[in-house]
Each structure stands twice: as C-alpha cells, then as structure tokens.
C-alpha cells in the first residue's frame, strides 16, 4: 500500500527565508536527502504540488520545478493522474545506519549550533526506525502481556486516580520508587531508601541529568571501549573529554585507565554485562574500581541495563551494592525488561545530590508520565513484573540456543559466535577480515538487522564482528534467516 509522505514533510521541512540558498534548492536538497537516508521509501507517494505549496507557503511552480528536477535525476517518478512517487530500486542507497542528517553540510554549518552537528552525526540514531529480526537489545515485544498491562494503565487513569492527570511528583511517583527499591533489594542485593531513587524517562535521560549535574567542560570521562554509543556521544556533546578504556577479561581495564587518563570526573561502566562484549566485571576489579573512585573523587555511572537476563548461575550483586561511600550512581531501565516505549528508567543517587537531580529533572522536562508510573508500580507490586521476567528468561535462553545452533550449522565457515550466558545478543566474529559494516549492509537487504561491532568503538576498531540480537527474534524465523545469512557470507568469502 502506498503511504502519503505529507505528514513527514510538514513536520521536518523548514524553509529558511533569510538564507542565501534559494528556496527551491532547500526543498530539493531536503527531499533528496530524505530519499537517500531511507526516510522516504521506494514507491512512497509525495504530496501533490498544490498541497505542498500551500503548506510551505511557496508558489506551486516552485514545487513543480523541484519535482521535475528530482524526476530528471531519477529520485522520483511522476505518474499521470496519480501523483509523484519515490522511485523504486533505490534500496541500495540506504545508509548503514539510518541517519537523521537530512540537510546539506554547508547549510547545517550556517544555521545550526555545533551541538546539533555532533548530535546529527551520532551513530546512536540506530535506535530508531523499524525493527527487524536480530536487532540487538530489543525485547520479545510479541510476548508482552498487553491485555494485562492495559488493565493497569486504565486503572491508573480512572476518576479515583485523577491526580495522575497532573504533572506527578517532582522525583517520580513515590509508590513506584518504593516498588523499585523492593526490586533492587530482591534482585540486585541493594539496600536503597526510596528517597534516593529518581524516576527518569529511561536510562538515557538519567545519563543526561548526571552529565549536566556532575560534569564540567573538558572533564575526563572514562568510557568503556567498545561501549554504549548513545551514552558516550552524550558525554562528548555535553563537553566531556571522553577517554576510551579497553575491556579485558575482567571488564573495564583499570590499570590502563589509571596510567593513561588519571583522575576522571566520571566513569561509565556496564559491570553486569559489558555492552556490547558481554564480559562480567570480576569482583576484584569491582573493588579496585570503587577504591580508586573513592580516593580520587570520581563518580561511577553503573548502567545495569539488562541484568535481569542471566541464563546460568546467580548474578553478582550490583557494583552499587558494594559501594560503602556513595560514589556510584546506579542507572536502571524498563526498556529491556518490559518494552522501550514505556519510557521509564531510574537513577539511584546519593542523598546529598537528590535536590540537584530533582530540580534538573524539572527544568529539563518531566518526561515520564504519572499514569504510566502508577500502572508500573501496581504491575510490579502484584508480581506481574517478576513473572514476566521469569518467562522472558526461559524464552530468551531458547532463542539464544536456536540462534547459536543455526549459526554453527550454516555460518561456521565465516563466523565465530561467542557463547553468552546473559543478555539479549551474541557477538559473532567475522573470520576472513571482511568489514562488518559491509556485511551488515548486505544482510540488512535480506531483513537481517544485525549491527556491526565497529560502530561501538571510539578510535581504532579492534574486531570485525556482528552483534546479533536474539531476544526479539521469533524462533520460527531464526533458521530460515540464518541459512540466508550463511549464503550471503559465502559470497563475501568467494570474493576475497
Ligand atoms: C547499554 C544500554 N544502556 C541503556 C539502554 C536503555 O536506554 P533507555 O532506557 O533510554 O531506553 C540501552 C538501550 O539501548 C543500552 O543498550
């Protein structure tokens, strides 16, 4: 079915009437880039010249000449009587990572802040867009108990809970903070007073608050390398001097970090399950890291994004559970344990910082909803959350096993998958040194949404590998797609 692009054009196409660049060129460049970036899809219908002219307050002739130009370049096709459509056969032009930078560089430099430039070129935009099998970090959305959740949501919106229609508590719902404190004691060995918990709209908002409250421009930030892209880019954008710290078999390489980048202000780490390599930080390393942070007045951000999913043995308690002096800011999220669009996360903060966090959250926008907060609290207190996690653990373990089996059967000439006992993805090294980005692109054409490991690196890339999510991939599709993957990888082998 053909979808109208009218909405998309209206919301993001802004004409700068003071610019030296003629209006028709601004519109042309914008549409061309939208097509190249895959935002406008092959066969998608563009608004009629009359509609677009009205919406942009330009003459119809301007739009007609834009469409004619794009037609002559092959980007669009006019069909008499039906309108103008994005040309087919442009799929190959879609970039590795969906990009939101849809405006030409010179125009960008002239009109946007440097911060917007940094943000625009972040590879973290990979978080957006449609989700296909093997996209890392995606939970089993098909198995979420939607009906049950809806009951909780609707109860949180009734007349008796009418205050939920207002802004809610400055720190997030008190009830939810108590539910989270209970969950942390039960599952992560943390004794936390609910007063120390601040609700955010996901882990990313927690990182934003932390960076604004605790970091000054040019402060050193230790960041695991490879590491979580969105958090790292944020630290750079906010002005931190991000120091890439390699990972060894005990986790973040502390001796390397101390000798190369001493006395950091912030230390970002994922000790339960290193993102993306999957290493669990050893107890010795945890203790040494805490000691160093204490002696050097550094703050540790512990990102515990997917610790619920461990398939063998008991998890180590959180790093924060070992922290006796209050140097760890523990960040949790429901994006993995429930679903990302719930947009609820939290940060456990030493009490003396709480006021600053509350005020900053207020100024930056209270982006979580009191309705969802209340629904989630009741969902947790009634045991539905724990039940869901247990079910997902079994399901993800099965999906992981099938994926590993199929990779062994179909891709052993080309890939060396690393077995994992935790998390939602596996890493599969590419044997013949082929660029993981090229492989990623080729696989994407067949509906296989892996990510190249190289995009997680800051600076030189150490490994060419695919990051393959199993949690969000249905069992029935895995064998067929992995077999396809094997065929595609063989073509790379042959051309080497
Ligand atoms: C390492 C890591 N931390 C945190 C998050 C969650 O971010 P949010 O809670 O903002 O959805 C993700 C999601 O992709 C992640 O990969």
């Amino acid at each position: 079915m053909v979808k109208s692009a009218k909405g998309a054009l209206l919301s993001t196409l802004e004409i700068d009437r003071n610019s030296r660049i003629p209006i028709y060129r601004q519109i042309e460049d914008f549409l061309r880039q939208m097509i190249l970036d895959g935002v406008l899809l092959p066969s998608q219908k563009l608004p009629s010249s009359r509609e677009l002219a009205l919406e942009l307050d330009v003459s119809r002739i301007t739009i007609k000449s834009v469409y004619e130009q794009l037609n002559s370049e092959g980007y669009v096709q006019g069909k008499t009587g039906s309108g103008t459509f994005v040309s087919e056969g442009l799929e190959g032009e879609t970039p590795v990572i969906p990009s939101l930078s849809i405006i030409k560089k010179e125009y960008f430099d002239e009109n946007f802040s440097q911060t917007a430039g940094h943000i625009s070129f972040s590879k973290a935009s990979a978080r957006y867009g449609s989700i296909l099998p093997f996209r890392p970090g995606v939970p089993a959305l098909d198995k979420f108990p939607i009906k049950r959740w809806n009951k909780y949501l609707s109860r949180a919106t009734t007349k008796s809970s009418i205050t939920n229609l207002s802004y809610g508590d400055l720190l997030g719902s008190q009830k939810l903070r108590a539910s989270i404190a209970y969950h942390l004691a039960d599952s992560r060995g943390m004794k936390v007073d609910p007063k120390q918990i601040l609700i955010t709209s996901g882990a990313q908002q927690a990182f934003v608050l932390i960076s604004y409250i605790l970091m000054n421009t040019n402060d050193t930030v230790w960041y695991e390398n490879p590491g979580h892209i969105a958090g790292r880019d944020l630290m750079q954008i906010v002005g931190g001097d991000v120091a890439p710290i390699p990972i060894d078999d005990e986790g973040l390489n502390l001796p390397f970090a101390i000798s190369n980048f001493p006395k950091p202000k912030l230390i970002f780490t994922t000790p339960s399950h290193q993102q993306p390599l999957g290493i669990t930080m050893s107890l010795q390393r945890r203790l040494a890291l805490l000691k160093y942070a204490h002696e050097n007045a550094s703050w540790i951000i512990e990102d515990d994004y997917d610790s619920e999913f461990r398939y063998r043995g008991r998890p180590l308690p959180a790093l924060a559970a070992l922290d006796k002096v209050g140097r760890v800011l523990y960040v949790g999220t429901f994006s993995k344990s429930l679903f990302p669009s719930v947009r609820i996360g939290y940060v456990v903060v030493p009490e003396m910082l709480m006021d600053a966090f509350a005020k900053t959250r207020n100024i930056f926008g209270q982006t979580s909803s009191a309705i969802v907060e209340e629904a989630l609290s009741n969902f947790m207190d009634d045991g539905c959350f724990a039940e869901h996690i247990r079910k997902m653990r079994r399901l993800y373990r099965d999906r992981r096993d099938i994926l590993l089996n199929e990779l062994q059967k179909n891709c052993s000439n080309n890939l060396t998958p690393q077995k994992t006992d935790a998390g939602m993805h596996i890493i599969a090294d590419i044997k013949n040194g082929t660029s993981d980005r090229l492989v990623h692109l080729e696989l994407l054409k067949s509906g296989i949404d892996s990510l190249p490991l190289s995009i997680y690196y800051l600076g030189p890339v150490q490994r060419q590998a695919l990051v393959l999510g199993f949690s969000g991939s249905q069992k029935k599709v895995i064998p067929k797609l992995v077999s396809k993957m094997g065929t595609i990888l063989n073509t790379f082998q042959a051309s080497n």
Side-chain angles (χ1 to χ4, degrees):
M1 234 210 357
V2 174
K3 213 170 73 185
S4 168
K6 187 175 147 196
L9 287 175
L10 269 181
S11 54
T12 50
L13 172 48
E14 297 255 46
I15 292 174
D16 180 359
R17 290 177 201 275
N18 299 321
S19 168
R20 278 174 283 130
I21 303 169
I23 287 175
Y24 74 89
R25 276 274 313 283
Q26 292 183 38
I27 303 171
E28 247 176 37
D29 289 349
F30 179 91
L31 287 174
R32 204 181 281 113
Q33 205 60 50
M34 291 267 279
I35 294 169
L36 285 174
D37 283 349
V39 180
L40 286 175
L41 299 171
S43 307
Q44 198 165 2
K45 190 177 182 186
L46 298 180
S48 71
S49 55
R50 186 193 307 275
E51 271 177 307
L52 192 54
L54 269 175
E55 285 158 7
L56 297 176
D57 197 16
V58 298
S59 79
R60 197 169 164 203
I61 294 172
T62 303
I63 304 297
K64 277 190 161 172
S65 76
V66 165
Y67 281 1
E68 269 164 28
Q69 179 60 29
L70 293 175
N71 197 355
S72 70
E73 291 173 15
Y75 287 94
V76 303
Q77 281 168 338
K79 293 186 188 161
T80 323
S82 0
T84 305
F85 297 79
V86 176
S87 300
E88 282 168 64
L90 293 173
E91 289 91 329
E93 302 290 339
T94 308
V96 180
I97 304 301
S99 163
L100 299 183
S101 55
I102 47 182
I103 296 166
K104 272 203 161 171
K105 176 120 179 42
E106 309 90 70
Y107 182 75
F108 210 101
D109 292 345
E110 255 178 49
N111 294 284
F112 287 76
S113 69
Q114 281 178 1
T115 307
H118 289 309
I119 291 172
S120 173
F121 296 108
S122 168
K123 297 189 186 83
S125 56
R127 277 156 64 101
Y128 299 98
S130 59
I131 292 165
L132 298 169
F134 303 125
R135 164 81 68 97
V138 178
L141 301 176
D142 56 315
K143 299 290 180 195
F144 186 73
I146 292 173
K147 272 195 189 148
R148 201 185 229 192
W149 172 250
N150 279 345
K151 281 191 192 142
Y152 284 88
L153 259 189
S154 103
R155 231 184 288 152
T157 328
T158 56
K159 201 148 195 176
S160 58
S161 49
I162 203 139
T163 51
N164 287 338
L165 300 187
S166 184
Y167 281 102
D169 197 305
L170 188 56
L171 303 165
S173 138
Q174 279 190 39
K175 240 166 105 6
L176 178 59
R177 289 156 66 212
S179 312
I180 291 172
Y182 176 82
H183 168 67
L184 290 177
D186 178 38
S187 70
R188 306 300 294 123
M190 288 167 65
K191 278 205 189 101
V192 172
D193 186 330
K195 283 197 210 118
Q196 287 174 256
I197 298 175
L198 179 106
I199 306 296
T200 61
S201 58
Q204 186 68 10
Q205 196 201 14
F207 306 148
V208 172
L209 298 180
I210 292 170
S211 64
Y212 271 88
I213 293 165
L214 296 173
M215 197 177 78
N216 283 312
T217 309
N218 298 329
D219 276 348
T220 301
V221 182
W222 287 358
Y223 211 96
E224 293 176 338
N225 195 39
H228 177 45
I229 305 166
R232 180 181 65 212
D233 288 358
L234 167 77
M235 297 297 161
Q236 287 186 321
I237 287 157
V238 176
D241 196 355
V242 172
I245 311 298
I247 308 299
D248 64 17
D249 53 9
E250 291 195 72
L252 179 136
N253 189 330
L254 186 61
F256 173 94
I258 295 173
S259 52
N260 290 283
F261 307 101
K263 295 189 182 300
K265 184 50 114 16
L266 289 178
I267 300 170
F268 183 100
T269 181
T270 47
S272 299
H273 185 240
Q274 202 275 329
Q275 166 73 339
L277 298 182
I279 312 275
T280 301
M281 191 183 282
S282 69
L283 185 58
Q284 286 84 341
R285 185 63 58 81
R286 287 170 193 242
L287 294 171
L289 183 62
L290 285 169
K291 185 164 178 286
Y292 185 83
H294 178 37
E295 289 169 357
N296 293 278
S298 309
W299 295 103
I300 300 174
I301 305 172
E302 177 176 16
D303 177 11
D304 210 26
Y305 63 107
D306 72 355
S307 62
E308 287 87 1
F309 302 115
R310 180 159 280 276
Y311 311 112
R312 200 165 60 101
R314 309 293 299 165
L316 277 177
L319 182 63
L322 301 168
D323 176 23
K324 300 283 178 273
V325 289
R327 300 309 304 181
V328 178
L329 299 140
Y330 176 93
V331 176
T333 178
F334 291 92
S335 288
K336 313 293 177 192
S337 50
L338 293 179
F339 54 96
S341 73
V342 72
R343 297 322 297 141
I344 302 262
Y346 52 94
V347 52
V348 182
V349 176
E351 245 179 300
M352 62 160 179
L353 296 179
M354 204 58 184
D355 190 50
F357 269 84
K359 287 178 176 152
T360 312
R361 178 183 190 261
N362 185 39
I363 290 291
F364 278 17
Q366 243 164 287
T367 44
S368 55
S369 145
I371 295 169
V372 181
E373 289 173 8
E374 163 135 355
L376 177 54
S377 168
N378 292 332
F379 192 77
M380 293 175 88
D381 294 353
D382 288 353
C384 307
F385 180 61
E387 189 186 315
H388 182 61
I389 301 243
R390 265 194 221 102
K391 273 194 192 149
M392 291 306 102
R393 250 185 227 147
R394 288 194 293 273
L395 180 77
Y396 295 175
R397 198 183 44 215
D398 282 0
R399 289 182 175 185
R400 174 204 62 179
D401 290 346
I402 295 173
L403 174 59
L404 280 168
N405 244 329
E406 293 300 321
L407 285 171
Q408 188 59 34
K409 264 201 277 176
N410 296 285
C411 304
S412 55
N413 290 342
N414 306 301
L415 294 178
T416 312
Q418 311 296 321
K419 199 165 183 313
T420 181
D421 286 320
M424 302 162 86
H425 69 258
I426 58 165
I427 305 273
D429 288 280
I430 301 174
K431 279 184 179 170
N432 56 13
T434 309
S435 147
D436 55 11
R437 289 184 191 229
L438 285 182
V439 175
H440 153 84
L441 239 196
E442 211 46 45
L443 294 177
L444 200 54
K445 288 183 191 161
S446 296
I448 297 165
D449 201 357
S450 65
L451 280 178
L453 180 65
S454 55
I455 63 166
Y456 292 84
Y457 279 94
L458 185 63
V461 173
Q462 311 291 333
R463 279 165 81 172
Q464 298 292 330
L466 296 176
V467 185
L468 291 159
F470 51 79
S471 47
S473 311
Q474 294 183 354
K475 282 192 229 176
K476 59 175 190 262
V477 305
I478 296 176
K480 215 168 91 197
L481 285 176
V482 176
S483 155
K484 219 184 242 179
M485 198 187 301
T487 313
I488 295 168
L489 284 161
N490 280 336
T491 61
F492 277 98
Q493 185 83 297
S495 61
N496 259 321

